[in-house]
Amino acid sequence: MNDAETITVKLAELLRHPDDLDKIPGLKSEFMRKKAAVDGQLKIGLQEQLEITQAGMAAITDGQRTVNLIKEEMMKIDKLCAEAQNMIRDFPHINIVQQTHTNFAKVEEMKDNIDNFSSRLDELEMLVREDKEDPENQPNLLQIHHGLTQLRDVRDAAENQINGSSDADATAELIDNLTLEGGGTLRDQFLRLDAVVDDFDESVGAACLNMIPMIQSGNNGIVVRVAIVIEEEEKKDKKAKALQDARKEFKDLASRFKSIESGQQEARGYKDKFLKSIEYNAQAQMDQSDEVFNEDSDRIEKSFKWYFNDLNTVKLGMQNLMPKKWKIFKTYVNIYHRIMHDWLVKKVDDPQLTPKDMLSIINWGDKYYQKMQKLGVNKADLQPPIIDERETELVRDYQKIITKAVEEWTDRMASTDRQAFSNRLDHQDAIDRNGEYRTKTMPDLWNMLREQLIVAGNSSREDVVEGTVDAMFTRLKARQKMWQQIVDDEASKYSNPNAPAVADEALPALQDWLIALANDQIKCIDDDEETGNESFLSRFRVEYGELVSPGYAQTSSSDLDTLRDGYVDLSTHCLSVFAGLIFAVDFRATLPEFFTPAWFAKKGMAQLVNTFDDYLDEYAPAVHASLRDILVEELSDSLLRNYLQSVRNKGAKFRRTDPFTDKIKDDVITAFDFFSRYEAVFPDIKQKWRVVDGFVRLLEADKMAVPLVFEEFRQEYWDVQLGWVEAVLRARDDFERAMVSGVKARAAEMPVERGRMETIMSQVK
């Protein structure tokens, strides 16, 4: 994946929903801050690297100059030696005598060493056995080391003589086959020496692994002895390394200087083994901590108690026992920190890492640096950063896990709701204790949000909670839109003449669902002051308000208001659709007769209100108490709207000779007789039905007075549509086009009033 695709994927994750576009300024500010921080770090790092590089180049130059000086001095010495041979008379004879004497002394020394090799090795074997019986003290450690060093030097000298001999094969055969006085060959003794050295190294290694427990128990002697051994071996290793470099750099001169060819030839690496033992011991304890973390990541702090105890022991008890040049505390800190870093990075990169474990790691970083600060170690001295400065990324990933869970839960609920709605599954097993209809998933939705809010709150990070709450707001708003779309699509099957026919038997189940949905929306926002029961939304606000910053709690109030308004609108919309379905199905045959000749002979209005009565008897107990009056008002509005729109019925005609005024009055009285039972809303209903007076005036006004009547009507009902007025006029038996022209001319003269509250006439088409 190239950089452009990577950027596109990241943007898609950050901007999943249209509402996320509001976050762009904040994201831009955050990225600019991060870029500035990274640029600053890069500048500092580049400066440090430049200084290190310059210092390194200066050191290389100085080293090269020193090497050249040494080379020149050695060449001078070689020249002086050659000149000295010519200055001294009989120098060749003297040189031969000197070499003979030197060789004789070396042979005599080698013979003594070989003769005593076995007995000295026996003594060292005994001392090693004694120390193995007392591993916590090892009192003979220094004596053994001194003796083994001498014997190893003897062996190295013998092997150097073999390598430097003109007849190396014969010399090697002598070492392999010549039987010594004590029995066995010299080669056998060398093999015994290797075995004793291995035992000694094993004892030293065991002491290195138990260094901290020994200090904690007050056994400082063994620690000092081991340090002396390792320091001595470190010096020898440096000498051996210097000789190796000299042999490589000055091959011609090296063959002339016996001191370069003699002595320890290879580094034994005791210091490296000591450092490896520190790492091995820390890694072993880290593996135990890993098991504890895998079982319960909340115990991460307790599982690393050993980590800080070890470093504290080194700081207080080991620094005075070790060579200062080792900087032993800093050495331990670097090794331990690297192991901690590697373990945490491995955990972070594990695809199986759970949100709970990720949260523990996020919170552990700050605690780790605090504990190290107490030990006197600054955060800047701990490199690399504990999790490679990926805290922000981890926080975002943790938040994504929570928001993803919210999205998956809401998507599953939406799928379940769509299927249940589509199949018209019986929801009446979700009737609450008040007998009101409910959907099954509404309580589950808020329980899920509460659980995920708790998960986010466990992070103890306001930014995580705030991001999670933003995602919840987005999903709740999307759920409102989903239900409105579902309701509208289903209702259109009954009201749209071009839609496939739907059996009337399916209507009751749909109406049940509409009542349940309307109840759900009100339940989300209805605070019962008498009982003290808070609504789901109010409880949600309190719960997240305790976890976010004061600024976010204040700014999020607009989202809460939007949600609350959305619940009110969706609830009212469901009731409006409920009422509309009654007219689309139950009144399918009755409404087309209004204002036609058949209207005068039938009691159509009485038939409509009787149907209303049946519906309210059935559904009033199932509707939330705060919605019952709203349902009655929706029925009234739908009746009034459809009544006025009946002027468009085929065959609708108002003849001067017909008693249409009395018939309209009778219809209104019939409607009022029914709605007057609902005292709480009847005054508002009665006020809205006053529009019928204006309707009658338009019907019975003199043709010349129609524009004036229209003007009066429009002053009261500013949003009346001219199309409806024209339909009313066309329904008059004395209709003339001049009447419509007069109305339009008067409408053009009247000022357009905007911003006033809508009237019932805005709904009359």
Side-chain angles (χ1 to χ4, degrees):
M1 183 179 291
N2 56 36
D3 293 343
E5 292 176 343
T6 302
I7 293 172
T8 302
V9 172
K10 292 292 185 183
L11 285 174
E13 292 177 355
L14 293 172
L15 305 174
R16 291 188 174 186
H17 307 285
D19 292 343
D20 291 338
L21 294 176
D22 297 335
K23 302 179 183 178
I24 290 179
L27 291 172
K28 182 178 179 181
S29 300
E30 180 183 355
F31 290 145
M32 291 296 292
R33 287 196 301 272
K34 291 182 179 178
K35 181 179 182 300
V38 172
D39 290 343
Q41 292 176 354
L42 287 175
K43 185 176 180 180
I44 294 173
L46 182 61
Q47 182 65 30
E48 293 177 350
Q49 192 64 37
L50 179 61
E51 294 174 355
I52 293 172
T53 302
Q54 291 175 341
M57 293 176 64
I60 292 173
T61 302
D62 293 341
Q64 187 66 41
R65 188 182 299 111
T66 303
V67 169
N68 291 335
L69 291 174
I70 294 173
K71 186 175 182 179
E72 291 175 1
E73 291 298 325
M74 293 185 70
M75 293 176 67
K76 289 179 182 179
I77 293 172
D78 182 59
K79 182 178 180 181
L80 288 173
C81 289
E83 292 175 351
Q85 294 179 10
N86 297 326
M87 294 171 61
I88 301 174
R89 190 171 52 182
D90 298 328
F91 178 80
H93 298 288
I94 296 173
N95 189 40
I96 292 173
V97 172
Q98 188 272 336
Q99 290 180 1
T100 302
H101 182 271
T102 300
N103 291 339
F104 179 79
K106 288 183 177 180
V107 170
E108 187 176 25
E109 180 182 3
M110 179 62 71
K111 183 179 182 304
D112 291 340
N113 288 333
I114 291 174
D115 290 341
N116 297 327
F117 197 94
S118 179
S119 60
R120 292 165 67 184
L121 192 56
D122 290 339
E123 181 180 357
L124 292 176
E125 282 182 328
M126 181 185 66
L127 294 176
V128 169
R129 284 194 296 271
E130 290 179 0
D131 277 6
K132 280 185 172 293
E133 294 174 358
D134 187 11
E136 295 182 357
N137 294 300
Q138 300 188 39
N140 305 314
L141 191 67
L142 295 180
Q143 184 178 352
I144 296 171
H145 177 254
H146 180 69
L148 288 178
T149 300
Q150 291 179 333
L151 294 184
R152 292 167 98 169
D153 290 342
V154 171
R155 180 185 61 185
D156 292 342
E159 292 179 348
N160 286 337
Q161 289 184 13
I162 293 175
N163 296 330
S165 174
S166 58
D167 191 357
D169 293 339
T171 306
E173 183 178 356
L174 184 66
I175 290 177
D176 292 338
N177 299 319
L178 180 62
T179 303
L180 302 178
E181 294 181 0
T185 64
L186 188 58
R187 182 66 66 189
D188 294 334
Q189 298 301 323
F190 288 169
L191 293 176
R192 283 183 59 207
L193 174 62
D194 289 338
V196 175
V197 169
D198 289 341
D199 288 342
F200 173 76
D201 289 349
E202 183 180 343
S203 297
V204 174
C208 290
L209 289 174
N210 293 292
M211 194 78 72
I212 290 179
M214 289 176 178
I215 294 176
Q216 290 173 340
S217 62
N219 192 2
N220 295 344
I222 179 64
V223 176
V224 174
R225 288 191 286 275
V226 170
I228 292 174
V229 170
I230 295 174
E231 183 181 25
E232 188 64 27
E233 288 295 332
E234 183 182 23
K235 293 178 181 177
K236 289 181 175 292
D237 286 350
K238 289 182 178 179
K239 181 179 178 181
K241 181 66 168 57
L243 292 176
Q244 289 176 354
D245 294 340
R247 284 195 295 271
K248 292 178 182 178
E249 187 71 21
F250 310 105
K251 293 181 180 179
D252 296 336
L253 295 177
S255 60
R256 301 185 186 183
F257 291 91
K258 300 301 180 182
S259 60
I260 293 180
E261 295 297 328
S262 62
Q264 179 179 322
Q265 302 296 311
E266 300 292 337
R268 294 168 183 164
Y270 276 74
K271 178 67 178 296
D272 292 337
K273 293 176 183 177
F274 170 60
L275 297 178
K276 288 288 185 183
S277 70
I278 298 175
E279 183 176 350
Y280 176 84
N281 190 49
Q283 188 61 55
Q285 296 184 88
M286 180 64 74
D287 292 341
Q288 296 177 3
S289 297
D290 182 63
E291 294 179 1
V292 175
F293 180 87
N294 291 335
E295 292 175 359
D296 183 5
S297 58
D298 289 339
R299 297 171 57 194
I300 184 172
E301 186 171 359
K302 291 184 178 179
S303 70
F304 285 121
K305 186 177 181 180
W306 61 270
Y307 186 98
F308 303 100
N309 286 344
D310 285 2
L311 294 180
N312 191 53
T313 299
V314 173
K315 180 180 181 181
L316 299 179
M318 188 181 291
Q319 292 191 95
N320 295 331
L321 306 179
M322 297 284 181
K324 291 185 178 180
K325 62 181 180 180
W326 285 4
K327 297 180 180 179
I328 193 64
F329 179 62
K330 188 174 185 299
T331 299
Y332 263 88
V333 167
N334 291 339
I335 293 174
Y336 273 46
H337 177 73
R338 177 170 51 80
I339 291 175
M340 175 66 76
H341 165 269
D342 293 346
W343 178 79
L344 287 173
V345 170
K346 181 180 178 182
K347 284 295 181 185
V348 169
D349 293 336
D350 185 0
Q352 304 299 324
L353 186 69
T354 65
K356 178 173 176 288
D357 295 345
M358 182 182 293
L359 176 61
S360 297
I361 291 175
I362 293 173
N363 293 334
W364 172 241
D366 292 338
K367 294 180 181 178
Y368 173 80
Y369 284 121
Q370 290 173 5
K371 290 179 178 292
M372 294 301 289
Q373 185 67 47
K374 291 180 180 179
L375 290 171
V377 183
N378 296 324
K379 182 178 180 178
D381 297 330
L382 296 170
Q383 296 298 328
I386 190 67
I387 48 177
D388 295 336
E389 297 183 337
R390 294 165 60 183
E391 289 84 357
T392 302
E393 176 188 344
L394 286 179
V395 169
R396 187 180 294 112
D397 289 343
Y398 180 72
Q399 180 180 312
K400 284 182 180 178
I401 291 174
I402 301 174
T403 55
K404 183 179 179 182
V406 172
E407 292 171 357
E408 290 176 348
W409 270 94
T410 52
D411 287 343
R412 282 197 296 269
M413 289 181 180
S415 177
T416 301
D417 288 336
R418 285 193 182 95
Q419 184 177 3
F421 188 88
S422 176
N423 297 333
R424 297 292 191 275
L425 298 180
D426 185 8
H427 71 279
Q428 295 195 8
D429 54 352
I431 296 176
D432 66 9
R433 63 177 180 272
N434 296 324
E436 299 169 359
Y437 289 176
R438 294 276 185 267
T439 62
K440 294 180 180 179
T441 55
M442 189 269 289
D444 296 336
L445 171 67
W446 290 102
N447 288 335
M448 179 275 294
L449 294 179
R450 185 176 299 109
E451 291 172 0
Q452 296 303 319
L453 193 60
I454 292 173
V455 174
N458 289 338
S459 67
S460 300
R461 298 183 66 98
E462 294 177 347
D463 51 352
V464 171
V465 180
E466 291 168 3
T468 302
V469 174
D470 282 340
M472 291 178 175
F473 279 141
T474 300
R475 301 304 288 190
L476 288 171
K477 293 174 185 176
R479 186 173 174 82
Q480 291 176 348
K481 294 178 181 178
M482 177 201 77
W483 274 124
Q484 180 161 349
Q485 187 64 46
I486 291 175
V487 168
D488 289 343
D489 290 345
E490 195 67 22
S492 67
K493 297 177 182 179
Y494 293 88
S495 58
N496 187 354
N498 298 323
V502 181
D504 292 348
E505 292 77 9
L507 180 63
L510 173 59
Q511 291 173 320
D512 289 351
W513 266 93
L514 291 172
I515 296 300
L517 288 174
N519 289 344
D520 279 355
Q521 312 318 307
I522 294 302
K523 190 66 176 177
C524 290
I525 59 175
D526 183 46
D527 295 316
D528 192 338
E529 297 180 358
E530 295 182 0
T531 61
N533 292 331
E534 291 184 312
S535 65
F536 288 115
L537 189 61
S538 296
R539 196 178 309 136
F540 177 65
R541 176 182 57 79
V542 172
E543 290 172 348
Y544 83 71
E546 298 172 349
L547 305 173
V548 299
S549 63
Y552 182 86
Q554 183 176 1
T555 57
S556 64
S557 60
S558 61
D559 289 307
L560 286 170
D561 292 340
T562 302
L563 269 180
R564 185 175 289 105
D565 293 342
Y567 286 125
V568 172
D569 293 342
L570 180 56
S571 178
T572 305
H573 183 67
C574 289
L575 296 181
S576 178
V577 172
F578 178 90
L581 288 172
I582 297 176
F583 283 87
V585 178
D586 294 82
F587 301 159
R588 185 185 300 151
T590 306
L591 280 176
E593 295 180 346
F594 275 78
F595 306 146
T596 67
W599 170 55
F600 292 95
K602 296 182 180 181
K603 295 185 177 296
M605 182 62 74
Q607 184 178 348
L608 299 186
V609 296
N610 287 336
T611 303
F612 286 165
D613 194 28
D614 294 338
Y615 269 105
L616 291 176
D617 285 344
E618 179 181 355
Y619 282 102
V623 178
H624 191 278
S626 63
L627 292 177
R628 290 166 189 166
D629 290 339
I630 296 177
L631 176 59
V632 172
E633 202 166 355
E634 283 293 334
L635 291 175
S636 171
D637 288 350
S638 296
L639 177 59
L640 178 57
R641 181 174 61 253
N642 281 277
Y643 187 76
L644 294 175
Q645 289 178 165
S646 294
V647 296
R648 297 182 181 275
N649 286 342
K650 185 177 181 181
K653 188 64 68 175
F654 298 94
R655 296 179 175 84
R656 306 295 97 188
T657 58
D658 292 336
F660 62 84
T661 303
D662 294 336
K663 182 59 176 175
I664 292 174
K665 182 178 180 181
D666 182 64
D667 286 345
V668 173
I669 292 174
T670 302
F672 281 5
D673 286 344
F674 172 75
F675 289 115
S676 62
R677 306 176 194 174
Y678 306 96
E679 298 177 356
V681 294
F682 182 62
D684 291 335
I685 292 175
K686 189 176 181 180
Q687 179 65 26
K688 288 181 180 179
W689 277 77
R690 287 183 57 196
V691 71
V692 177
D693 291 338
F695 169 53
V696 172
R697 289 199 301 272
L698 284 173
L699 290 175
E700 62 182 7
D702 184 80
K703 288 187 291 184
M704 299 301 295
V706 166
L708 179 60
V709 173
F710 164 75
E711 181 179 359
E712 295 174 349
F713 188 86
R714 190 171 187 180
Q715 286 176 348
E716 188 171 359
Y717 301 96
W718 64 274
D719 48 2
V720 62
Q721 300 184 32
L722 290 179
W724 176 81
V725 175
E726 183 176 351
V728 173
L729 296 177
R730 288 182 178 276
R732 291 175 51 145
D733 61 343
D734 59 348
F735 169 73
E736 294 179 359
R737 296 191 61 84
M739 298 165 64
V740 176
S741 300
V743 167
K744 290 182 178 180
R746 187 60 59 91
E749 295 173 358
M750 297 179 67
V752 179
E753 300 184 38
R754 302 294 182 185
R756 291 175 58 185
M757 184 178 296
E758 290 185 351
T759 70
I760 187 64
M761 291 309 299
S762 65
Q763 305 172 29
V764 179
K765 308 299 183 182

